[in-house]
Amino acid sequence: MWPGLRCHPAIVNQSRTFAPSGPSFPFASIPPATYFGHATRPKFPAGKSTDCPVPYFDHNATAPLHPAARAAWLDAADRLWHNPSGLHAAATRALASLEDCRERLADLLGCDDPRRIVFTSGATAANNLLARHLARTAATDAVAILSPLEHPAVHAAFGTNFSGRVVESDVDRDGVVPVDVVNATQDACAGRPVACVSVMAAGNESGVLQPWQAIAAACRLRRIPYHTDATQWLGKLPASGLGGCDWVTGSGHKFGGPRGVGFLVVPAEATFFGDVGGPQESGRLAGTENLPGIAGMVAALEARDRDASATATRGAGSRDAAIDFLRRQLPAAVVVSGGADRLWNTLAILIPGADSRKMVAALDRAGIEASTGSACSSGTASAARVVAATAGWFSFPPESTFGMVRFSAGPETTAAEWIAAVGALVAFVSSDSKAPRVALG
């Protein structure tokens, strides 16, 4: 058994502490995690104590339902369950609530015209709608310029609809797409029309922040449509200003809204239509709107956006303290995008010689829920996108392999939980003879 976290029966409330055992564990005690006033969801190996909490570090995959979202969902499902497209009074009330949600979301994003917002079943659906629309309306030889870090929902959607016409921009050593690189990529298209430039607002893997405001302005000067997938930005940093982009996609469950609901922001002047077969969304997307889900999504974003700046400051401090601890204990570890501004909640770590799945499994046994890409081999297609895109900047030995772990916290994650998570990783890697403990080269 590797030395690391063990479930301890002392954890039942805030006045009691989590006391990990094992000679290599680097700290004395950790207060239990709390989310919305109660202990994190318990999960235990067979035969282990049921008092052991599970710090949740996979918010970039999905976030727990925010109480405001739950309340809004239940209220809409109870009072406003009617079809907003109906003609009777109850349906009219549902439609009024739907439009109120649209206006509130527009205010959060800074959209002057709420009609720019099309509600969808999520960001994947929105990205596919966008790519199909652009392919249908752009010139047949038009290209789409994407960053190499885009989520598969963007890459696959554009790859399918712009087959052979997707151009990837370069990035710097931290995975940032500078504005001059975007301009140079456009210039390199040799006169071919550009249907769209798509650069995400914040990375899902390393949390790297892109200069989306500057890219939007540069594209506007060249009259080239700009899309940003804001899925990871929303709920973590202030949403204001995103409405200045031509196209924006987002998903509710990433910031505490219900699953199965998202949105697409379209240009005010665009003649956009997606799926056909009904008059919903002003004739732009057929299908009865998920009003309870929409209400929950907007309520969650309002709640998270209200304290976004303060949460970011506090969260970054906790994450950075964990990084300092990591570097002292495991100099070989590489913080992905470590030299760039990143989401306060995200920490992606490369461990030379380690196995990603084994690390995540070990963390899970230690009571830490985290995530990873597949085991990374620098510069290969199997690597996480941000690792593959930035590998050329580093002097890694040929054929070097890496394991990657991503921790992504929530607003309620404590500094002690950050140290617990990184400490559990250090404990496992220190017990793994294949993983080096000193910095490479």
Side-chain angles (χ1 to χ4, degrees):
M1 179 177 180
W2 58 274
L5 286 171
R6 299 175 187 169
C7 292
H8 193 283
I11 305 171
V12 292
N13 56 48
Q14 284 285 23
S15 66
R16 306 174 76 175
T17 59
F18 182 22
S21 59
S24 69
F25 209 80
F27 49 92
S29 64
I30 306 165
T34 56
Y35 288 105
F36 311 130
H38 63 287
T40 45
R41 179 178 62 83
K43 178 182 179 183
F44 319 100
K48 297 295 184 180
S49 167
T50 56
D51 290 333
C52 181
V54 179
Y56 182 64
F57 276 91
D58 204 13
H59 281 255
N60 286 8
T62 195
L65 189 67
H66 193 283
R70 183 178 185 274
W73 192 98
L74 289 171
D75 179 66
D78 184 47
R79 295 191 307 107
L80 302 166
W81 50 266
H82 306 81
N83 192 325
S85 297
L87 300 179
H88 46 77
T92 301
R93 288 193 294 271
L95 178 61
S97 178
L98 178 68
E99 295 310 313
D100 176 67
C101 289
R102 200 183 312 275
E103 291 177 5
R104 287 156 56 200
L105 180 56
D107 287 343
L108 288 167
L109 298 174
C111 291
D112 292 335
D113 187 352
R115 292 174 296 181
R116 292 183 60 198
I117 294 173
V118 177
F119 289 118
T120 70
S121 62
T124 297
N127 289 324
N128 276 270
L129 287 166
L130 166 63
R132 286 207 310 267
H133 168 80
L134 292 174
R136 184 172 58 241
T137 57
T140 56
D141 63 339
V143 300
I145 297 175
L146 276 58
S147 87
L149 311 185
E150 297 305 301
H151 189 278
V154 173
H155 260 286
F158 278 92
T160 298
N161 289 279
F162 285 82
S163 180
R165 294 182 289 139
V166 173
V167 178
E168 287 193 350
S169 66
D170 291 329
V171 297
D172 67 15
R173 65 182 297 120
D174 289 305
V176 177
V177 184
V179 175
D180 58 345
V181 169
V182 175
N183 290 335
T185 305
Q186 295 170 10
D187 294 339
C189 290
R192 295 180 69 180
V194 178
C196 183
V197 170
S198 181
V199 178
M200 58 175 35
N204 56 300
E205 293 175 332
S206 71
V208 62
L209 303 184
Q210 301 295 346
W212 56 265
Q213 300 97 325
I215 295 174
C219 289
R220 195 175 303 117
L221 287 175
R222 296 189 175 208
R223 299 183 181 276
I224 293 174
Y226 172 62
H227 162 247
T228 191
D229 181 346
T231 299
Q232 293 298 335
W233 181 285
L234 292 163
K236 302 182 182 82
L237 293 171
S240 178
L242 283 165
C245 303
D246 297 304
W247 303 88
V248 185
T249 48
S251 182
H253 75 100
K254 301 293 188 180
F255 50 79
R259 297 181 186 179
V261 62
F263 64 88
L264 170 67
V265 176
V266 306
E269 68 279 4
T271 304
F272 172 84
F273 63 91
D275 298 338
V276 297
Q280 291 82 9
E281 295 301 282
S282 300
R284 296 177 297 182
L285 184 62
T288 302
E289 294 94 345
N290 175 9
L291 178 54
I294 292 167
M297 174 180 69
V298 174
L301 186 55
E302 286 176 333
R304 288 305 187 203
D305 203 70
R306 192 175 300 122
D307 301 318
S309 295
T311 299
T313 300
R314 182 177 65 252
S318 297
R319 180 206 59 192
D320 291 346
I323 293 174
D324 291 341
F325 169 76
L326 171 70
R327 287 173 170 159
R328 291 195 305 270
Q329 298 292 324
L330 198 64
V334 176
V335 175
V336 184
S337 303
D341 290 335
R342 304 185 310 287
L343 289 172
W344 56 266
N345 81 315
T346 305
L347 173 57
I349 304 169
L350 291 179
I351 305 294
D355 183 283
S356 300
R357 288 172 292 182
K358 288 182 179 180
M359 288 193 293
V360 170
L363 288 169
D364 193 48
R365 291 194 299 271
I368 306 292
E369 292 181 333
S371 64
T372 184
S374 59
C376 298
S377 190
S378 61
T380 71
S382 65
R385 287 186 182 276
V386 66
V387 177
T390 59
W393 289 92
F394 300 99
S395 300
F396 291 137
E399 306 302 323
S400 57
T401 59
F402 299 84
M404 177 172 159
V405 171
R406 182 192 70 187
F407 296 111
S408 52
E412 287 75 30
T413 305
T414 66
E417 287 173 332
W418 267 110
I419 297 296
V422 172
L425 178 65
V426 169
F428 171 70
V429 172
S430 297
S431 70
D432 185 356
S433 61
K434 294 181 180 180
R437 305 182 192 185
V438 297
L440 296 176

